[in-house]
Amino acid sequence: MPLAYPVFAALFGLVIGSFMNAYIWRVHTKRSISHGRSLCPRCKHLLTALDLLPVVSWLWLRGRCRHCSKPISRQYPVVELIVGVAAALSTLAWQPSNLTDAVQLGIWIVISGLFVALAVYDLRWMLLPNRLLKALLGVVIVFLLTQAFSGALLASWLVDPLIGASGALALFYGLHVLGRGAWMGGGDVKLVFILGLLLGWQLMALGLLLAFNLAAVISLLLIGLGWRSRQDLIPFGPFLLLGAWIALLWGEGIVDWYLRLSGL
């Protein structure tokens, strides 16, 4: 694969990450994404293109607003970099060979950006907002339709996703009801339905396995380091999203490796 592909994807990812930063804030402040230009949350000054260059503007301004000199959250460059790196890694894993592959990869990078936006929102405010979930659902449906138009079998773009979504929904809704909302929140129930549509039942099963294991390991690590206590709530949404992201890109390879290792 030419080096230009992952580099271009990373640049596209940086732009998507910048948009997701604005989207996160507008969802939190209940503003429409199409309503008005971006502004500084402190001094409310309208931002220009020079203020909005992904990563570069934050570094050039030394993490401060150009107008009021108030600190700009590190979330902005971090989100942009994460989506940029995710886009480059996705391109290396995807290996697009035709226009259809490239279109699907582009949609997947947008999905990755929404994954990061949802994870950040859940980490900051312990909530998976409906606006972000609806946006993710819409893009996932477009992703599935591109598979349909490319001639994929009905089972791969409709039947398998519906089984994955229904199974994940039933499992998490059961946990939500049994735990009276303490084990799984309503946002997690909605999220796994969307992830099931995206992954299908086999990759969704792997994604859930990865999510539960990642949550256990990272929670124990945070408690061991003294950064969290056993009483602290740790949102599960980011683990679901990371597990799903890994499963879609490398799930088939992980399953093959496990089968070879186990001798099955």
Side-chain angles (χ1 to χ4, degrees):
M1 173 189 292
L3 180 62
Y5 286 12
V7 171
F8 178 78
L11 294 174
F12 179 58
L14 289 174
V15 173
I16 295 297
S18 179
F19 175 81
M20 290 304 160
N21 274 320
Y23 199 14
I24 290 167
W25 184 249
R26 293 198 179 206
V27 169
H28 183 62
T29 56
K30 296 179 172 55
R31 294 179 62 203
S32 170
I33 194 64
S34 61
H35 180 70
R37 290 164 49 189
S38 295
L39 45 79
C40 172
R42 303 290 185 86
C43 67
K44 311 303 180 184
H45 199 287
L46 289 177
L47 302 179
T48 66
L50 290 176
D51 301 309
L52 298 172
L53 292 173
V55 181
V56 175
S57 290
W58 192 88
L59 292 173
W60 177 52
L61 296 170
R62 298 181 180 180
R64 293 185 177 275
C65 173
R66 185 160 57 91
H67 307 283
C68 66
S69 298
K70 298 290 185 181
I72 301 172
S73 172
R74 293 179 183 177
Q75 171 195 309
Y76 291 89
V78 169
V79 165
E80 291 160 359
L81 284 171
I82 289 175
V83 181
V85 171
L89 291 175
S90 296
T91 304
L92 292 172
W94 209 277
Q95 296 284 322
S97 58
N98 53 52
L99 180 60
T100 300
D101 283 350
V103 170
Q104 290 181 343
L105 174 60
I107 298 170
W108 167 246
I109 291 172
V110 175
I111 290 173
S112 298
L114 285 166
F115 275 21
V116 174
L118 280 161
V120 168
Y121 207 101
D122 204 14
L123 287 168
R124 289 194 64 177
W125 295 293
M126 297 290 290
L127 180 69
L128 294 167
N130 286 332
R131 275 181 64 183
L132 284 174
L133 289 170
K134 288 177 182 178
L136 178 61
L137 176 60
V139 181
V140 167
I141 290 173
V142 172
F143 182 77
L144 293 174
L145 289 176
T146 60
Q147 294 182 6
F149 292 139
S150 68
L153 296 175
L154 186 69
S156 66
W157 68 267
L158 182 61
V159 178
D160 191 34
L162 288 176
I163 294 173
S166 301
L169 177 64
L171 172 62
F172 272 64
Y173 184 72
L175 293 172
H176 176 70
V177 172
L178 288 173
R180 298 182 179 181
W183 297 350
M184 294 295 166
D188 295 323
V189 176
K190 298 170 189 175
L191 176 60
V192 294
F193 176 81
I194 300 170
L195 296 179
L197 280 179
L198 176 65
L199 298 176
W201 74 268
Q202 291 176 311
L203 291 182
M204 187 61 194
L206 175 62
L208 289 177
L209 180 64
L210 289 170
F212 281 109
N213 280 280
L214 286 167
V217 171
I218 294 176
S219 296
L220 289 173
L221 181 62
L222 292 174
I223 292 171
L225 292 172
W227 295 351
R228 288 289 188 276
S229 70
R230 294 182 183 274
Q231 288 72 40
D232 289 333
L233 294 176
I234 299 176
F236 192 49
F239 300 108
L240 286 170
L241 293 159
L242 180 57
W245 191 83
I246 294 171
L248 190 138
L249 288 180
W250 297 291
E252 293 181 3
I254 292 172
V255 171
D256 290 343
W257 169 80
Y258 176 77
L259 293 176
R260 288 197 304 270
L261 187 68
S262 60
L264 299 176

